[in-house]
Amino acid sequence: MFDTALSPADLLFLAKGAGITIIVTAISVCIGTVLGILFGVIRVQLGPIVSAPLTFVLDIFRSVPLLIQLVLANAFFGMVLRLHLSGFVVACLVLSLYTSAYCAEIVRGGIDAVPRTTRRAARSLGMTWAQDMRHIVLPLGTRVALPSWLGLALGVMKDSALVYVVQVTELLKSTQILITRLQEPLFLLMICGAFYFLISFPIARLGGYLERRWSSD
Protein backbone atom coordinates (compact mmCIF):
# COMPACT_ATOMS: atom_id res chain seq x y z
CA MET A 1 0.00 0.00 0.00
CA PHE A 2 1.31 3.44 -0.96
CA ASP A 3 2.11 5.64 2.02
CA THR A 4 2.92 9.33 1.92
CA ALA A 5 3.60 12.06 4.43
CA LEU A 6 1.86 14.61 2.20
CA SER A 7 -0.87 16.40 4.14
CA PRO A 8 -3.84 18.54 3.04
CA ALA A 9 -1.87 21.57 4.22
CA ASP A 10 0.94 20.59 1.85
CA LEU A 11 -1.51 20.33 -1.04
CA LEU A 12 -2.81 23.78 -0.15
CA PHE A 13 0.78 25.02 -0.17
CA LEU A 14 1.22 23.62 -3.69
CA ALA A 15 -2.09 25.15 -4.76
CA LYS A 16 -0.89 28.56 -3.54
CA GLY A 17 2.29 28.09 -5.56
CA ALA A 18 0.16 27.24 -8.59
CA GLY A 19 -1.83 30.42 -7.95
CA ILE A 20 1.38 32.47 -8.00
CA THR A 21 2.34 30.78 -11.28
CA ILE A 22 -1.03 31.70 -12.80
CA ILE A 23 -0.85 35.29 -11.58
CA VAL A 24 2.72 35.85 -12.81
CA THR A 25 1.85 34.27 -16.16
CA ALA A 26 -1.38 36.26 -16.58
CA ILE A 27 0.26 39.60 -15.77
CA SER A 28 3.28 38.91 -17.98
CA VAL A 29 1.24 37.66 -20.94
CA CYS A 30 -1.22 40.58 -20.76
CA ILE A 31 1.44 43.29 -20.51
CA GLY A 32 3.74 41.50 -22.93
CA THR A 33 0.96 41.11 -25.49
CA VAL A 34 0.07 44.80 -25.39
CA LEU A 35 3.72 45.78 -25.77
CA GLY A 36 4.25 43.10 -28.41
CA ILE A 37 1.36 44.42 -30.51
CA LEU A 38 2.77 47.94 -30.23
CA PHE A 39 6.31 46.84 -31.12
CA GLY A 40 5.11 44.61 -33.95
CA VAL A 41 3.05 47.37 -35.56
CA ILE A 42 5.95 49.81 -35.20
CA ARG A 43 8.32 47.38 -36.92
CA VAL A 44 5.95 46.87 -39.83
CA GLN A 45 5.09 50.55 -40.26
CA LEU A 46 8.62 51.93 -39.95
CA GLY A 47 10.31 49.23 -41.98
CA PRO A 48 13.40 47.15 -41.17
CA ILE A 49 15.93 49.99 -41.39
CA VAL A 50 14.24 52.63 -39.22
CA SER A 51 13.08 50.05 -36.67
CA ALA A 52 16.51 48.40 -36.48
CA PRO A 53 17.30 49.72 -32.95
CA LEU A 54 14.00 48.34 -31.62
CA THR A 55 14.60 45.04 -33.41
CA PHE A 56 18.07 44.82 -31.85
CA VAL A 57 16.69 45.29 -28.33
CA LEU A 58 13.96 42.71 -28.90
CA ASP A 59 16.57 40.28 -30.25
CA ILE A 60 18.48 40.63 -27.00
CA PHE A 61 15.44 39.57 -24.97
CA ARG A 62 14.85 36.64 -27.34
CA SER A 63 18.48 35.52 -27.35
CA VAL A 64 19.61 35.83 -23.73
CA PRO A 65 18.34 32.96 -21.53
CA LEU A 66 15.51 34.01 -19.25
CA LEU A 67 17.36 32.83 -16.16
CA ILE A 68 20.21 35.25 -16.88
CA GLN A 69 17.74 38.08 -17.55
CA LEU A 70 16.08 37.53 -14.17
CA VAL A 71 19.39 37.51 -12.28
CA LEU A 72 20.73 40.59 -14.09
CA ALA A 73 17.48 42.52 -13.70
CA ASN A 74 17.30 41.76 -9.99
CA ALA A 75 20.91 42.92 -9.52
CA PHE A 76 20.38 46.00 -11.71
CA PHE A 77 17.33 47.24 -9.81
CA GLY A 78 18.85 46.52 -6.40
CA MET A 79 22.52 47.40 -6.82
CA VAL A 80 22.53 50.02 -9.59
CA LEU A 81 19.19 51.82 -9.29
CA ARG A 82 18.89 51.19 -5.54
CA LEU A 83 15.26 50.23 -6.00
CA HIS A 84 14.03 47.68 -3.49
CA LEU A 85 11.58 45.88 -5.73
CA SER A 86 10.05 42.61 -4.64
CA GLY A 87 10.96 39.47 -6.52
CA PHE A 88 7.38 39.28 -7.77
CA VAL A 89 7.62 42.71 -9.43
CA VAL A 90 11.00 41.91 -10.98
CA ALA A 91 9.68 38.60 -12.29
CA CYS A 92 6.65 40.25 -13.87
CA LEU A 93 8.75 43.02 -15.46
CA VAL A 94 11.29 40.64 -16.98
CA LEU A 95 8.70 38.12 -18.15
CA SER A 96 6.60 40.91 -19.68
CA LEU A 97 9.53 42.19 -21.74
CA TYR A 98 10.51 38.64 -22.61
CA THR A 99 6.96 37.94 -23.78
CA SER A 100 6.75 41.21 -25.74
CA ALA A 101 9.90 40.34 -27.70
CA TYR A 102 8.37 37.11 -28.97
CA CYS A 103 4.88 38.55 -29.35
CA ALA A 104 6.23 41.38 -31.53
CA GLU A 105 7.55 38.81 -33.98
CA ILE A 106 4.21 36.97 -33.94
CA VAL A 107 2.35 40.22 -34.63
CA ARG A 108 4.72 41.16 -37.42
CA GLY A 109 4.21 37.76 -39.03
CA GLY A 110 0.43 38.05 -38.67
CA ILE A 111 0.37 41.47 -40.34
CA ASP A 112 2.68 40.35 -43.14
CA ALA A 113 0.43 37.34 -43.75
CA VAL A 114 -2.41 39.64 -44.86
CA PRO A 115 -2.13 39.98 -48.68
CA ARG A 116 -0.93 43.42 -49.72
CA THR A 117 -3.49 43.44 -52.52
CA THR A 118 -6.26 43.12 -49.96
CA ARG A 119 -4.90 46.05 -47.97
CA ARG A 120 -4.45 48.16 -51.10
CA ALA A 121 -8.04 47.44 -52.09
CA ALA A 122 -9.22 48.55 -48.65
CA ARG A 123 -7.28 51.79 -48.89
CA SER A 124 -8.57 52.41 -52.42
CA LEU A 125 -12.10 52.18 -51.03
CA GLY A 126 -11.32 55.11 -48.76
CA MET A 127 -10.44 53.30 -45.55
CA THR A 128 -8.06 55.06 -43.22
CA TRP A 129 -5.02 53.29 -41.77
CA ALA A 130 -6.90 52.67 -38.51
CA GLN A 131 -9.93 51.25 -40.35
CA ASP A 132 -7.67 49.05 -42.44
CA MET A 133 -6.00 47.69 -39.31
CA ARG A 134 -9.32 47.17 -37.52
CA HIS A 135 -11.46 45.67 -40.28
CA ILE A 136 -8.88 43.94 -42.50
CA VAL A 137 -5.62 43.22 -40.71
CA LEU A 138 -7.02 42.35 -37.28
CA PRO A 139 -9.52 39.65 -38.40
CA LEU A 140 -7.17 38.04 -40.92
CA GLY A 141 -3.93 38.46 -39.01
CA THR A 142 -5.39 37.12 -35.77
CA ARG A 143 -6.19 33.78 -37.38
CA VAL A 144 -2.55 33.41 -38.36
CA ALA A 145 -1.08 34.71 -35.10
CA LEU A 146 -3.37 33.06 -32.53
CA PRO A 147 -1.83 29.54 -32.54
CA SER A 148 1.65 30.98 -32.09
CA TRP A 149 0.40 33.35 -29.38
CA LEU A 150 -1.20 30.48 -27.46
CA GLY A 151 2.05 28.56 -27.73
CA LEU A 152 3.86 31.61 -26.38
CA ALA A 153 1.45 31.89 -23.44
CA LEU A 154 1.97 28.23 -22.56
CA GLY A 155 5.73 28.68 -22.88
CA VAL A 156 5.71 31.68 -20.55
CA MET A 157 3.69 29.68 -18.03
CA LYS A 158 6.35 26.96 -18.00
CA ASP A 159 9.22 29.47 -18.07
CA SER A 160 7.76 31.13 -14.97
CA ALA A 161 9.30 28.23 -13.03
CA LEU A 162 12.59 30.15 -13.30
CA VAL A 163 11.39 33.06 -11.17
CA TYR A 164 12.55 31.16 -8.08
CA VAL A 165 15.93 32.87 -8.62
CA VAL A 166 14.35 36.18 -7.54
CA GLN A 167 12.76 34.57 -4.47
CA VAL A 168 9.27 33.99 -5.84
CA THR A 169 7.69 30.84 -4.45
CA GLU A 170 5.75 29.62 -7.46
CA LEU A 171 4.63 26.05 -8.17
CA LEU A 172 8.00 24.42 -8.87
CA LYS A 173 9.70 26.19 -5.96
CA SER A 174 6.87 25.08 -3.66
CA THR A 175 7.40 21.52 -4.88
CA GLN A 176 11.14 21.74 -4.21
CA ILE A 177 10.48 22.95 -0.68
CA LEU A 178 8.21 19.97 0.00
CA ILE A 179 10.70 17.56 -1.60
CA THR A 180 13.38 18.80 0.80
CA ARG A 181 11.07 18.29 3.77
CA LEU A 182 9.21 15.11 2.83
CA GLN A 183 11.87 13.34 0.72
CA GLU A 184 9.30 12.09 -1.81
CA PRO A 185 10.60 13.60 -5.07
CA LEU A 186 8.86 11.38 -7.65
CA PHE A 187 5.43 11.62 -6.06
CA LEU A 188 5.66 15.37 -5.52
CA LEU A 189 6.93 16.00 -9.04
CA MET A 190 3.99 14.00 -10.40
CA ILE A 191 1.62 16.24 -8.44
CA CYS A 192 3.49 19.31 -9.69
CA GLY A 193 3.14 18.06 -13.27
CA ALA A 194 -0.58 17.49 -12.70
CA PHE A 195 -0.96 21.10 -11.56
CA TYR A 196 0.84 22.35 -14.68
CA PHE A 197 -1.39 20.16 -16.83
CA LEU A 198 -4.55 21.53 -15.19
CA ILE A 199 -3.34 25.08 -15.84
CA SER A 200 -2.29 24.57 -19.47
CA PHE A 201 -4.95 22.14 -20.72
CA PRO A 202 -7.83 24.69 -20.92
CA ILE A 203 -5.62 27.11 -22.88
CA ALA A 204 -4.60 24.40 -25.35
CA ARG A 205 -8.22 23.27 -25.79
CA LEU A 206 -9.38 26.84 -26.34
CA GLY A 207 -6.82 27.26 -29.09
CA GLY A 208 -7.94 24.06 -30.78
CA TYR A 209 -11.58 25.11 -30.56
CA LEU A 210 -10.92 28.51 -32.11
CA GLU A 211 -8.86 27.00 -34.92
CA ARG A 212 -11.62 24.51 -35.76
CA ARG A 213 -14.28 27.19 -35.63
CA TRP A 214 -12.38 29.60 -37.86
CA SER A 215 -11.45 26.88 -40.36
CA SER A 216 -15.12 26.03 -40.77
CA ASP A 217 -16.14 29.67 -41.48
Side-chain angles (χ1 to χ4, degrees), residues 2-70:
F2 179 74
D3 187 25
T4 178
L6 188 70
S7 67
D10 295 328
L11 284 175
L12 180 60
F13 181 66
L14 288 176
K16 290 181 179 178
I20 296 297
T21 294
I22 294 173
I23 293 172
V24 170
T25 302
I27 292 174
S28 302
V29 170
C30 288
I31 297 176
T33 299
V34 173
L35 292 176
I37 292 173
L38 176 62
F39 296 153
V41 172
I42 289 175
R43 287 189 60 192
V44 172
Q45 291 302 122
L46 296 183
I49 298 178
V50 179
S51 63
L54 174 61
T55 302
F56 176 73
V57 173
L58 295 178
D59 284 341
I60 292 177
F61 282 99
R62 283 199 300 267
S63 303
V64 178
L66 181 59
L67 182 64
I68 296 177
Q69 294 184 38
L70 287 165

Side-chain angles (χ1 to χ4, degrees), residues 159-176:
D159 289 339
S160 67
L162 297 175
V163 302
Y164 75 90
V165 298
V166 290
Q167 307 304 314
V168 177
T169 309
E170 40 66 61
L171 178 56
L172 186 58
K173 180 63 176 179
S174 301
T175 304
Q176 292 172 338

